[in-house]
Each structure stands twice: as C-alpha cells, then as structure tokens.
Amino acid sequence: MATISDVAARAGVSTATVSRVLNGKSTVDPALAERVARAAEELSYTPNGLARNLRRRETAVLALIISDVENPFFTAIARGVEDTAQAAGYSVMLCNSDENPAKERRYVEVAAMERLAGVIMSPTTPDSDVQPLLDHRTPIVTVDRRLRSADCDAVLVDSRAAAKEATLHLAERGYERIGCIAGPAGVTTADDRLAGFRDGIRAAQAKSSARWVRRCEFRGTAGRQTAEHLLSLPEPPDALLVSSSTMAVGVLQALADRGLRAGRDVGIVAFDDAPWTTLIDPALTVVAQPASAMGQLAARLLLARITEGTKTTSTTTMRAQLLIRDSSHR
C-alpha cells in the first residue's frame, strides 16, 4: 500500500505539501496540487483519514444533510461533496431531512453524539437548530441556503439575480401574463427566487397580478396542483417561472392534462438542469446551478475548517446560467 512519502517522492514535493493538498488547503500552488493529485491517483493512494481523526477523538466521517435526496440538484451536490471528501480520506453519511425541522434536528444530534468530523447542510430554515454541533465544536458549512443560527462558511447561488434574468427572458419572448410557482415561505432560496421574479416583473414593466403567484412545497405533486389552480383562473398566466425541476414535472403534467404545450401555449422556465430536461419535447428552458461545484467547494471549506479551525468564515456566492430552450419560445 502506498504511503504519503511515496506520493511525495512521485510528485517531487515534501510530505507536508502532500498533506496540505489532501486536506483541501488553498495555500498550495495549483501546479503542485495537480502533481500531487496525479501522483496519488497513479499510486492508488488512500489517505489514512481514520487514524488522523482518531488522534483528535473524531470519526473520519462527514454528514451531509440535504432537504430532498430525490431532487437531482441535491444529488449533484452530494456527488461533489463525496468525491472531494473521499479524496481526502473521509466518508460521507447522507441524511435526508425532507424539509422537516424535527428530522433535521435528529440528524444534527446524531452527528454531534457520534463525533463526526464535520457537517455540510442545506438547512430547512435560516434558524435551524444546530446547537448540538456548536456545543461539540463540530464544524459546519451550509450549501444552497443561509443559516442565521450559526457563524459558519456558506456556499450559495445568486438565486435572486437568476430569477430576475429568467423573468425578463419570458417578457422579452412576448409573454404578457407571467406567473410564478415559488417554494415554501421561509426557505431562503424560495424567498430569493420570488423576490427575483418580482424584480424582473418591475424591470420589464410587465403586467402583474397576485393571482398568478403561488407558493407550494418543492414536490412534483404540489407543482401539479398549483399549476392546475393557476390554469383554471378566468385569466390564467401565459408563462410560469417554476422554482425547481421537481415542481416542473408536476407543472408539465398539468399542461398535458389540458392539451397545452410548453412554449406555444404557456412559457415555462424552471430552476435546475435535471438530466430529463433535454429529453422532452419541447426541451425545458432552465436556470442551471453549479450543483457539483457547490458540493466540491463546500467539502473543501469543511476540510479546511477541520484542519485549521480558527480561520475567518466566508460566504461564496456562485452564478447560475440561463439555458434557453424551446419551452420559452412561442
């Protein structure tokens, strides 16, 4: 079995440099980091994270607490976290909160009691109870959503700006009655997307009505029921900004039930570029978020927090990309 000294010799660097690279520290020259990563891969080197953490009376396991394991967005985040953690010798325990604060709290308690090395979470609310982690000094990084109840690193997307851009796109395409199916109140991403939608309506000087805006859970069934309600109005919206791809599945089902076609009859833009969005006809216009990159960065920040401890917390806000397809073309 290869050792850290073997990796250092193959890469032509010191063992300290190898350690810094594998622990996710950002102070290593990128060229050296690439050489170390290549050497580790060639030698099939696995860092002994378990031994390292047992010396600190911790377990070489990270907890990832996400709100919906069936949502492709969170699945991509999980993959980014797992890839980065595994390369540093850590395993990842996946926890699905189902947007349930009580269930989330139980996972938090387990992570604290089992002395896990750290936690990455997409909190159900900004005030989610993470006190057990704080009591045990367990490092926390939030991803996708903000957390007010703890001072911790965060990896976010500028959902508000992305929602505004998507709304302006629908207005520019000639849709006149633009509505929004937003997520639950109090979820930071849902609130930001609704605020961005309203920003876009104002900027486009488009016709607006509170009747065309509804909030529901980030679920396909909820999206379908909400779309059915909106499409039943005497003056229904002719375009919709939908806050997630799971909700969009339900919206498209509601359109099909009425013999309506996305784009021609009702313009649709949804958050998240799920794999199926290009396989349907018409293909779905989406706001693509860098989910895997978010997971990778969250894991690197957590690993740095585990090894360095006292560094200043940071918030990284990434950009989303509007991918225009046929569902927003008349």
Side-chain angles (χ1 to χ4, degrees), residues 169 173 175 262-263 268-270 272-280 282-288 321-330:
H169 164 70
R173 292 295 179 184
Y175 296 101
I268 302 291
V269 178
D272 301 328
D273 190 22
W276 59 265
T277 58
T278 57
L279 302 178
I280 60 174
L284 189 65
T285 297
V286 298
V287 176
Q321 182 181 8
L322 180 65
L323 302 180
I324 299 172
R325 299 173 182 145
D326 290 340
S327 72
S328 57
H329 285 258
R330 285 193 181 277

Side-chain angles (χ1 to χ4, degrees), residues 157 210 270:
V157 169

